Amino acid sequence: MSLYPAPRERHESELSLAELRGNGARMAPHWVVPLAPEPAPVSPALINGVVVPAASAQLIDATAEYGG
């Protein structure tokens, strides 16, 4: 004897992914994010206490984008 489950009823709270994306797209303009001010640049003289292992420095130095 085979049992076939009854079709599930769709509840109002269950949304498809397309419906959820559409709802989000319609609401997005209402959520305005205030612009944060750009952080002020920091003088290299104020950056201290950073220790980089020699192997890491060599790896970065050998990388074309950073060292050579």
Side-chain angles (χ1 to χ4, degrees), residues 42-62:
V42 176
S43 167
L46 296 176
I47 301 174
N48 58 27
V50 177
V51 179
V52 179
S56 296
Q58 291 169 353
L59 177 68
I60 296 299
D61 190 46

Side-chain angles (χ1 to χ4, degrees), residues 8-50:
R8 237 175 64 143
E9 291 182 26
R10 184 170 172 194
H11 297 285
E12 195 173 314
S13 63
E14 294 180 30
L15 298 174
S16 70
L17 181 57
E19 290 171 318
L20 186 58
R21 290 180 68 202
N23 289 344
R26 281 190 297 281
M27 290 187 290
H30 301 288
W31 297 331
V32 178
V33 178
L35 294 176
E38 292 272 332
V42 176
S43 167
L46 296 176
I47 301 174
N48 58 27
V50 177

